[in-house]
Amino acid sequence: MSAAASAAAAPVRESIGIALPGPADVDAWRQQARRLLAAEVPPERVDWHVAGEMPGLFAGAPPPPAEAPVSVSVPRRFLDLAEVAIRHRDPARFALLYRLLWRITHGEHGLMQVATDPDVLRVQAMAKAVRRDAHKMHAFVRFRCVEMPPRSAEGTGPDAPGPRYVAWFEPEHHILEAETGFFIRRFAGLRWSILTPEASAHWDGHTLRMGSGGTRREAPPEDAHEELWRAYYRSIFNPARLKPAAMRAEMPVKYWKNLPEARDIPRLMAEAPRRVAEMVQRGATPPAPRRQRLHVPAQPIAPPDVAEGMAPDLFSGTEDPAAALAALRAELERRNDLPPWTSAATQLVFGEGPVGAPLLFVGEQPGDEEDIAGRPFVGPAGRLFSRAAEEAGITRADAYVTNAVKYFKFKPTGRRRLHQSPDAGDIAYYRPFLKREIELVGPRLIVSLGATALRALTGKPLAITKVRGEPIETPDGLRVFPTVHPSYLLRLPDPESKEREYARFVADLTAARREVA
């Protein structure tokens, strides 16, 4: 029999159509994926779609029977990525996730650690795009007040009397339901609605209700608060520090139509050269009567490039994280508004490690040896940390280490420099730089070493004893694993306590490593 005849005689395996109830329903996807694995259905035979959408051309066979459960063990890294990547708008996201799951459960157990695998790269890119979209939603949602008419009956709910706040947003991906928690935490006492083209979210102060999508016309017009916000934005606009490229990256034009301050940006940019010239003509403002540290000699002010046109596609450029980290370090070295005590330190001690490190460790501040060497975690506590990390199976070269505060704060006592803990103001000053550093490295988990690091990451003081050893999520969406600072182990008075607490510290680092395995 010829090859063509054999192929014609071979049975055609019909594709299986799987309809999910929602575009980002990860629980439904997991349930269906388990049924498919139990029936040993390979990825190429599955046609995924969302209920109400047009299924694939060859999606004819019914799904496997529901009474075919299977127990699947997969890396936590895959589950975390799947939960985020499934919110991407790419129609092939379900098939990609099932293909990865199939490969992991059929021999490729370490697949998620293969950084060059096309499927792994693609799902990571999807998750990154979704997180970026969520970040933009947090920054650019603007609520407008709607006065509800009074009613005779009191009550709660979306139609209760009193003011309600409504916002319109156009996300790139299916992120609305997943991001409602951020707005509930931020505006728990208000009644608000967020409208998007495909869905809407309504919070009445007690209950969240999801609804259908809407149009921009359904959102209310401007309210009185927006003129106050525009006045504030105009007052803080610094023409001498105008950076059009950074504005395009952080405040894309596609969001301008929903931002009240955006109408003032073209005029403020056009007026910037004249205002800078006037500032130069007036001369420098006399410094405050306190010691200031200038890290570099004052440079002449160059006219900002405000004539540069705004690119139509503001997401086309990609930022090099390593270059951005170098720029962040250079900015910290040039600043002349640092806390006064930094002038006594030898040098800035910035973080070090590879971009994309799965684990990022945050300590308190540099010590005496770090201040001299210009590198973090090289003193006694750093050497103890390196030894504990090695015992926990963590390679120091594969991790990123940094500190919440970037200069050594100390009190001179003869020949010694006595360490002083950073205060709340020091932590608050460096917190934006730390968050930017974390964003550029992109770790899967952040390990906070000590109370100062935990406060810098969460924005509030927390007791290490109450949260130690388990991942928590900060209001900014960071996954943080709290533990003690290694210097705590060095201060313990007796060998028995040191041995016991060191073993516990190694156990914490081991648990953190397993979180990203």
Side-chain angles (χ1 to χ4, degrees):
M1 183 181 292
S2 66
S6 298
V12 178
R13 304 183 70 186
E14 193 175 9
S15 296
I16 293 177
I18 300 294
L20 299 176
D25 195 331
V26 68
D27 292 331
W29 176 87
R30 289 175 66 177
Q31 180 182 2
Q32 294 291 351
R34 290 163 70 96
R35 292 170 59 188
L36 292 167
L37 287 176
E40 284 294 317
V41 179
E44 60 270 15
R45 285 193 59 209
V46 185
D47 183 87
W48 299 86
H49 62 278
V50 178
E53 296 179 357
M54 183 68 68
L57 181 61
F58 301 105
E67 60 274 12
V70 63
S71 177
V72 180
S73 177
V74 295
R76 178 65 177 269
R77 171 65 172 160
F78 171 76
L79 296 177
D80 291 343
L81 276 174
E83 187 172 356
V84 178
I86 203 168
R87 302 170 200 159
H88 200 277
R89 193 169 291 276
D90 189 340
R93 62 193 181 279
F94 307 118
L96 171 64
L97 292 173
Y98 183 61
R99 186 164 62 249
L100 281 167
L101 179 62
W102 177 272
R103 294 175 60 187
I104 291 171
T105 56
H106 286 72
E108 299 183 58
H109 304 295
L111 176 62
M112 300 308 298
Q113 303 301 322
V114 182
T116 57
D117 184 87
D119 286 344
V120 174
L121 287 172
R122 188 177 176 192
V123 76
Q124 288 176 341
M126 284 183 174
K128 184 176 181 179
V130 170
R131 292 191 184 102
R132 178 183 175 87
D133 198 27
H135 173 73
K136 297 303 180 186
M137 182 177 183
H138 297 172
F140 298 137
V141 160
R142 295 288 189 268
F143 287 104
R144 290 169 173 170
C145 183
V146 178
E147 294 293 338
M148 303 294 292
R151 297 173 59 185
S152 56
E154 296 183 359
T156 60
D159 298 324
R164 184 171 189 82
Y165 297 85
V166 180
W168 169 257
F169 188 72
E170 300 175 42
E172 289 284 321
H173 305 291
H174 307 288
I175 63 171
L176 176 62
E177 187 169 4
E179 300 308 319
T180 53
F182 171 85
F183 294 97
I184 290 173
R185 293 189 298 270
R186 181 69 61 88
F187 307 108
L190 302 181
R191 295 187 308 119
W192 50 259
S193 296
I194 300 177
L195 311 179
T196 74
E198 69 175 17
S200 58
H202 310 275
W203 173 253
D204 62 9
H206 304 280
T207 306
L208 177 70
R209 178 173 58 88
M210 300 301 298
S212 58
T215 64
R216 179 67 181 84
R217 294 190 299 274
E218 297 176 52
E222 295 184 12
D223 59 21
H225 300 290
E226 294 193 3
E227 182 52 43
L228 294 175
W229 173 251
R230 291 176 60 193
Y232 169 75
Y233 185 81
R234 291 192 297 266
S235 70
I236 64 171
F237 185 87
N238 187 344
R241 292 190 175 182
L242 180 62
K243 298 178 180 178
M247 291 177 65
R248 288 196 297 271
E250 298 301 324
M251 187 187 288
V253 168
K254 62 174 289 185
Y255 298 110
W256 284 22
K257 58 181 177 293
N258 298 322
L259 302 177
E261 65 271 25
R263 291 196 299 273
D264 297 316
I265 292 177
R267 178 176 59 81
L268 292 171
M269 291 178 64
E271 293 175 352
R274 175 182 57 80
R275 293 177 60 187
V276 170
E278 292 173 354
M279 292 167 63
V280 173
Q281 187 174 8
R282 286 196 301 268
T285 303
R290 64 176 177 83
R291 182 174 59 177
Q292 294 190 356
R293 179 183 182 185
L294 293 175
H295 295 275
V296 295
Q299 301 293 320
I301 299 176
D305 181 17
V306 298
E308 182 182 349
M310 304 297 278
D313 182 5
L314 296 166
F315 288 104
S316 57
T318 58
E319 184 177 35
D320 178 14
L325 280 170
L328 181 64
R329 174 176 187 150
E331 179 183 353
L332 272 169
E333 290 176 328
R334 290 195 302 265
R335 296 187 73 90
N336 61 3
D337 62 344
L338 295 169
W341 55 263
T342 60
S343 60
T346 304
Q347 60 189 314
L348 170 79
V349 181
F350 200 69
E352 67 177 22
V355 172
L359 285 174
L360 184 147
F361 295 88
V362 181
E364 180 193 72
Q365 68 169 6
D368 183 79
E369 292 187 34
E370 286 86 355
D371 175 66
I372 295 172
R375 297 182 57 209
F377 288 78
V378 296
R383 291 190 289 272
L384 181 64
F385 164 76
S386 297
R387 178 161 62 92
E390 183 178 354
E391 291 185 27
I394 299 170
T395 304
R396 172 74 183 262
D398 294 335
Y400 191 94
V401 292
T402 189
N403 285 296
V405 174
K406 308 300 186 186
Y407 284 90
F408 179 35
K409 186 175 184 179
F410 63 91
K411 180 180 180 181
T413 56
R415 294 184 179 181
R416 296 183 58 200
R417 300 191 294 178
L418 186 63
H419 167 276
Q420 286 188 306
S421 297
D423 57 31
D426 301 328
I427 298 170
Y429 177 88
Y430 284 100
R431 189 169 185 241
F433 302 101
L434 175 64
K435 291 175 64 177
R436 177 61 173 160
E437 187 178 13
I438 293 171
E439 177 186 345
L440 292 170
V441 175
R444 300 205 293 269
L445 184 68
I446 304 162
V447 180
S448 63
L449 304 172
T452 296
L454 186 58
R455 180 168 186 169
L457 293 166
T458 62
K460 57 185 178 182
L462 293 174
I464 296 292
T465 55
K466 295 183 178 180
V467 295
R468 179 180 180 180
E470 291 291 338
I472 62 174
E473 184 169 335
T474 72
D476 299 323
L478 300 176
R479 289 186 70 233
V480 176
F481 189 99
T483 187
V484 297
H485 195 279
S487 61
Y488 159 75
L489 307 177
L490 297 175
R491 295 193 299 268
L492 292 174
D494 59 275
E496 184 180 349
S497 297
K498 288 186 176 182
E499 183 178 355
R500 182 183 63 252
E501 288 301 317
Y502 177 78
R504 190 180 176 193
F505 182 57
V506 172
D508 284 348
L509 298 186
T510 303
R513 176 183 59 78
R514 289 172 178 164
E515 286 289 329
V516 299

